[in-house]
Amino acid sequence: MTRTALVTGASSGIGAEYARQLAARGADVVLVARDRGALQVLADEIEGRGGRAEILVADLLDPAQRRLVEERLEQGVDLLVNSAGYGLSLGFASGDIEDEARHLELHVEVTMRLTRAALPGMLARGRGRILNIASVAALVPRGTYGAAKAWVVSFSRWANAVYAPRGVTVTAVCPGYVHTNFHERLGLPPGEEGVAGWMWLTAPQVVRASLKEAARGRAVSIPSLRYKMLVAVSRLLPDRLVVAAASRGR
């Protein structure tokens, strides 16, 4: 089992669930996020169940704070989960371009930098796993969020092909709609997201499925059969129809 796992975006949602499940499997977890209070609550929960947790408070968009995370990765971890992220409104033409630039930096540049920091040590040991949390939005035309996550998927597929033969697998995780606080941060309370009930997944479902597929060396994990089918169907349809369908929910 993985000995040390570093998880970004660990203060809530999918990131926190990765930390819980990895700790339950015997990993020592390094929890990274901006909210010290939320990280401490999670660390206490993990340690209360017999696990071990280290807190690293950092804003990954601050170069100096991000460097602290890179240095921790360079010290050596067995598994990295790049889960930090957030969504933006689909209204690109009316949105703040600086918000878009920060959004792109977090999802793309930060993922690249942290992966680069972790890789040398993993390759030297001949083992390691990296999970980059993307989205099913990466696989259909869906605004700048989907575009950023499409980079994550392409990067992960390439890195897995190159480094898996040397013992380091890289998996892009592409969940659909998941019950977390992701949509609340967009100003959409539960029930107001415009998403059909059957489309929702839970964070434990997503994490369990993706860890299983990462262990098999899969480059891309799409948790749940329903989303695998939706993605397959979308590839047969014109972009205008896929965009119209994808824009119904947030």
Side-chain angles (χ1 to χ4, degrees):
M1 176 54 207
T2 300
R3 287 190 286 272
T4 303
L6 186 146
V7 183
T8 69
S11 58
S12 64
I14 290 176
E17 185 60 28
Y18 272 108
R20 291 187 185 98
Q21 291 198 28
L22 289 167
R25 295 178 182 210
D28 297 341
V29 291
V30 183
L31 310 175
V32 179
R34 295 177 298 173
D35 188 336
R36 179 181 295 275
L39 291 180
Q40 188 62 61
V41 169
L42 179 58
D44 290 345
E45 176 189 334
I46 289 170
E47 292 175 350
R49 296 176 177 176
R52 297 180 60 181
E54 172 187 340
I55 290 175
L56 182 50
V57 179
D59 180 347
L60 295 174
L61 290 177
D62 181 305
Q65 294 183 44
R66 183 178 62 238
R67 183 60 195 149
L68 297 175
V69 182
E70 292 170 356
E71 289 173 351
R72 180 62 184 85
L73 290 168
E74 290 165 358
Q75 292 173 19
V77 301
D78 300 281
L79 189 149
L80 166 63
V81 181
N82 280 311
S83 185
Y86 61 93
L88 290 177
S89 165
L90 296 178
F92 175 70
S94 59
D96 187 327
I97 192 60
E98 295 306 320
D99 287 345
E100 291 282 2
R102 286 187 291 270
H103 176 265
L104 185 66
E105 181 183 358
L106 180 61
H107 290 279
V108 173
E109 183 178 347
V110 169
T111 295
M112 178 181 65
R113 286 182 178 276
L114 298 190
T115 298
R116 175 61 178 80
L119 262 175
M122 291 181 175
L123 291 171
R125 292 188 299 276
R127 56 180 168 78
R129 290 180 194 159
I130 298 172
L131 282 77
N132 295 322
I133 310 309
S135 169
V136 75
L139 308 175
V140 298
R142 187 171 167 80
T144 55
Y145 178 78
K149 292 301 190 180
W151 183 93
V152 173
V153 171
S154 181
F155 174 69
S156 300
R157 290 178 60 195
W158 165 81
N160 193 61
V162 171
Y163 299 116
R166 298 174 61 183
V168 180
T169 62
V170 183
T171 302
V173 181
C174 298
Y177 292 107
V178 184
H179 283 299
T180 65
N181 65 348
F182 180 91
H183 290 86
E184 290 183 56
R185 292 170 64 185
L186 285 170
L188 297 168
E192 297 184 16
E193 307 94 344
V195 179
W198 65 269
M199 297 184 72
W200 288 100
L201 303 173
T202 68
Q205 286 176 316
V206 168
V207 172
R208 279 194 301 271
S210 63
L211 288 176
K212 183 180 297 185
E213 294 193 316
R216 294 172 178 166
R218 299 281 179 82
V220 179
S221 169
I222 305 175
S224 91
L225 178 60
R226 78 195 77 163
Y227 277 103
K228 287 181 172 70
M229 294 175 65
L230 285 172
V231 169
V233 170
S234 73
R235 289 170 175 162
L236 304 175
L237 300 174
D239 280 354
R240 59 183 177 79
L241 294 181
V242 178
V243 170
S247 64
R248 291 176 184 173
R250 290 275 296 280

